[in-house]
Amino acid sequence: MVSFELPHCHPWADKIHCFDCVDSTNTLAKQMALQGAPHGTVLIADRQTAGRGRLGRSFLSPGGMGLYMSVILRYDCAATELMHLTCACGVGACNAVEAVTGIRPGIKWINDLVVGTKKLAGILTELVFTGNQVCAIVGIGINCRQRLEDFDPAIRDMATSLATVTGEDVSTEVMAAAVLQALYQMDGQLFSKKKELLSQYRADCITLDNEIRVVQGENSAYGHAIDILEDGTLLVAFTDGTQRAVNSGEVSVRGMYGYV
Ligand code: BTN
């Protein structure tokens, strides 16, 4: 069981729910949000049986190995005002990893934290609507304690962990406290420091200025990532001469995750 404490005076300290095992903290957080759970409600599980990632993928979540956390954030604004939220959370997650390990990961657009060419963590942001509020469920999964041989052979070439990159045992509790503090700070800056958050995202994003492949449904196209726009979309110069903002689908970076 993951258990840890934020300072008692922390505004989110009395809204932390820890579980041994759930299907997905994001799925449970959605249910709790619809039942009225307040801003700053935090769910952490030691293990997930159906951890979910972007594009309907699964996120392997073995017990005692990783941080699996979701935070409920409520905003009185239109959903379109939250387009940069996943980017802001990516910056927050990088801040947390750097604070604990001294290593700053890169971000593969839009939601993967990477070290070198391997995935360290993923972020899944989902929205639900309650009354006239939009409620964001921010799910973060970070591989903490896995050694190379702990990863499923199918993802071993593509995945890494804090233990692997630091050579030290990084506890999920310490990481949980750091991520919560970073998300709390990000929440306070989401609108007032949008420009700064996006500049930091551009600095962290390893997709920018790289050769990429964009797969949307049956179609795939090659190009060069030239910018991240205000709403977090990726501006791509395609090899056919067109330029387009991409906000969905799989964007692979040449040299990573099997794209050569
Ligand atoms: C991705 O890799 O595309 C995103 C992965 C997000 C995983 C986290 S773990 C906590 C939360 N619960 C989930 O089911 N998913 C997120």
Side-chain angles (χ1 to χ4, degrees):
M1 158 80 84
V2 185
S3 70
F4 74 98
E5 284 187 19
L6 284 176
H8 286 302
C9 56
H10 194 285
W12 293 354
D14 60 347
K15 289 177 281 198
I16 298 172
H17 304 262
C18 294
F19 304 90
D20 282 326
C21 183
V22 297
D23 54 357
S24 150
T25 54
N26 261 40
T27 303
L28 188 53
K30 265 193 203 173
Q31 291 162 8
M32 289 173 66
L34 290 169
Q35 288 161 6
H39 184 89
T41 299
V42 177
L43 289 78
I44 301 175
D46 183 54
R47 183 163 78 90
Q48 298 184 117
T49 55
R52 296 184 290 110
R54 194 167 160 263
L55 303 173
R57 296 189 177 133
S58 58
F59 187 84
L60 293 177
S61 313
M65 293 286 175
L67 173 64
Y68 317 117
M69 169 192 282
S70 300
V71 181
I72 297 173
L73 299 173
R74 293 181 175 275
Y75 298 103
D76 292 311
C77 68
T80 48
E81 304 288 306
L82 293 177
M83 301 291 277
H84 64 302
L85 178 65
T86 301
C87 294
C89 292
V91 169
C94 286
N95 290 344
V97 171
E98 188 176 23
V100 172
T101 67
I103 294 170
R104 188 165 190 91
I107 301 174
K108 185 179 96 60
W109 188 90
I110 184 170
N111 65 330
D112 282 358
L113 266 58
V114 298
V115 176
T117 58
K118 295 186 166 193
K119 175 165 172 167
L120 173 74
I123 297 170
L124 178 64
T125 309
E126 300 180 289
L127 299 183
V128 293
F129 298 88
T130 62
N132 49 12
Q133 274 188 328
V134 54
C135 188
I137 313 295
V138 176
I140 298 189
I142 302 181
N143 299 326
C144 293
R145 306 186 64 201
Q146 289 95 335
R147 293 154 304 158
L148 196 57
E149 58 270 28
D150 292 321
F151 288 111
D152 189 292
I155 62 166
R156 205 168 280 166
D157 288 346
M158 294 181 257
T160 192
S161 69
L162 295 175
T164 308
V165 297
T166 62
E168 284 167 28
D169 193 20
V170 178
S171 94
T172 49
E173 285 85 354
V174 168
M175 215 43 245
V179 170
L180 275 191
Q181 188 47 37
L183 286 184
Y184 179 74
Q185 190 185 21
M186 177 284 302
D187 177 48
Q189 301 177 337
L190 187 62
F191 301 106
S192 59
K193 297 225 163 124
K194 178 175 172 181
K195 259 195 166 52
E196 290 86 343
L197 284 166
L198 281 165
S199 302
Q200 185 59 54
Y201 185 86
R202 289 185 190 99
D204 289 329
C205 184
I206 54 99
T207 308
L208 266 187
D209 289 330
N210 257 311
E211 299 306 312
I212 60 169
R213 179 178 62 200
V214 180
V215 179
Q216 289 170 318
E218 300 287 284
N219 305 317
S220 73
Y222 294 83
H224 190 86
I226 53 177
D227 200 5
I228 312 268
L229 306 182
E230 291 287 283
D231 58 0
T233 56
L234 187 68
L235 186 63
V236 181
F238 287 97
T239 49
D240 67 1
T242 60
Q243 247 184 46
R244 198 155 41 86
V246 171
N247 62 7
S248 64
E250 174 60 26
V251 175
S252 307
V253 177
R254 194 177 176 92
M256 295 184 76
Y257 300 8
Y259 164 36
V260 284

